Amino acid sequence: EPEVTQTPSHQVTQMGQEVILRCVPISNHLYFYWYRQILGQKVEFLVSFYNNEISEKSEIFDDQFSVERPDGSNFTLKIRSTKLEDSAMYFCASQREQGPNTEAFFGQGTRLTVV
Amino acid sequence: DAKTTQPNSMESNEEEPVHLPCNHSTISGTDYIHWYRQLPSQGPEYVIHGLTSNVNNRMASLAIAEDRKSSTLILHRATLRDAAVYYCILNFGNEKLTFGTGTRLTIIP
């Protein structure tokens, strides 16, 4: 069964450093997302991406965050200067099409720890 | 976004059916009812969705009330692997999924 793959599974970084989280969505999917989940809290939407541009972003997704689909298969989330409060699980998701009558497929997540 | 209300936690015995309720009294006509679950230390996983009619798939069944103000996710025979947080989410075509706190399901061996 096709799946969304995320690497690395765990990333430890020092405060102020840049990190790039990587995702390989399902190959025929067109809509891509990043969500995060701080330990013990809800899963929160960060950003959606379609046709090589951001289609929606949340208040969390400030200028420190960026997304890119550099080569037609990978989908990356970059945090330019990490803060302690960026420590969380980051989930990538993809959908074949848009609309309420379709399901999202999530990766297993990257646990980001900022020290 | 239209809100859903779910019990914080539920317990069920292994190999018994489980009925997970969700109230969504402010649902609009175009909202689909989606269920996702999150197993420990994993990403959310799609379970099932529907609009008006009851739905069945290999994982579960979704029973939707006639007035659509509530729904029930049915796991026909719970296994230990079904222990997870179950999220009931209304999706009206907005791209993002809005997760609540869900129902933490514990399966008792």
Side-chain angles (χ1 to χ4, degrees):
Chain A
E1 188 171 316
E3 60 181 14
V4 176
T5 306
Q6 290 186 243
T7 55
S9 57
H10 191 184
Q11 173 98 39
V12 180
T13 188
Q14 290 203 327
M15 191 170 54
Q17 294 295 304
E18 174 183 287
V19 293
I20 298 176
L21 309 183
R22 290 183 166 78
C23 169
V24 179
I26 295 172
S27 63
N28 63 348
H29 285 193
L30 301 175
Y31 296 84
F32 313 111
Y33 309 84
W34 283 100
Y35 291 79
R36 80 170 186 189
Q37 186 174 31
I38 295 170
L39 185 63
Q41 297 188 24
K42 298 178 188 178
V43 177
E44 302 174 287
F45 167 79
L46 292 178
V47 66
S48 57
F49 190 85
Y50 168 71
N51 201 24
N52 280 323
E53 59 184 30
I54 290 172
S55 45
E56 186 178 357
K57 59 184 180 180
S58 71
E59 290 180 355
I60 304 167
F61 194 90
D62 62 21
D63 292 344
Q64 293 299 311
F65 291 87
S66 63
V67 288
E68 194 178 33
R69 188 157 160 79
D71 56 13
S73 62
N74 291 288
F75 179 49
T76 62
L77 175 69
K78 182 193 293 186
I79 310 174
R80 287 191 186 81
S81 178
T82 50
K83 307 182 187 73
L84 294 176
E85 54 264 38
D86 294 327
S87 295
M89 284 290 292
Y90 288 80
F91 297 110
C92 173
S94 70
Q95 286 181 206
R96 186 165 52 88
E97 55 195 23
Q98 196 181 10
N101 193 19
T102 186
E103 63 264 38
F105 293 81
F106 286 78
Q108 294 303 296
T110 293
R111 180 175 300 283
L112 177 65
T113 303
V114 182
V115 298
Chain B
D1 292 340
K3 290 189 175 180
T4 63
T5 305
Q6 299 177 253
N8 287 332
S9 62
M10 289 183 64
E11 287 186 350
S12 180
N13 293 319
E14 194 178 9
E15 299 185 5
E16 300 267 324
V18 182
H19 290 235
L20 295 161
C22 180
N23 286 319
H24 28 78
S25 58
T26 59
I27 191 170
S28 73
T30 54
D31 287 339
Y32 277 73
I33 302 157
H34 283 241
W35 285 82
Y36 284 78
R37 71 180 184 181
Q38 189 174 21
L39 278 65
S41 302
Q42 295 194 28
E45 176 187 27
Y46 167 80
V47 177
I48 200 166
H49 75 280
L51 182 62
T52 56
S53 303
N54 295 344
V55 185
N56 300 295
N57 66 20
R58 63 177 178 83
M59 288 182 71
S61 295
L62 176 59
I64 301 172
E66 197 169 331
D67 64 4
R68 299 206 332 121
K69 292 186 177 181
S70 65
S71 60
T72 303
L73 179 70
I74 302 164
L75 307 179
H76 294 287
R77 196 166 165 269
T79 68
L80 295 178
R81 197 197 170 276
D82 291 320
V85 179
Y86 286 78
Y87 301 100
C88 171
I89 300 170
L90 299 184
N91 190 336
F92 57 94
N94 193 3
E95 293 185 40
K96 63 178 185 266
L97 294 171
T98 302
F99 288 82
T101 53
T103 296
R104 182 172 299 279
L105 176 65
T106 301
I107 305 298
I108 301 166

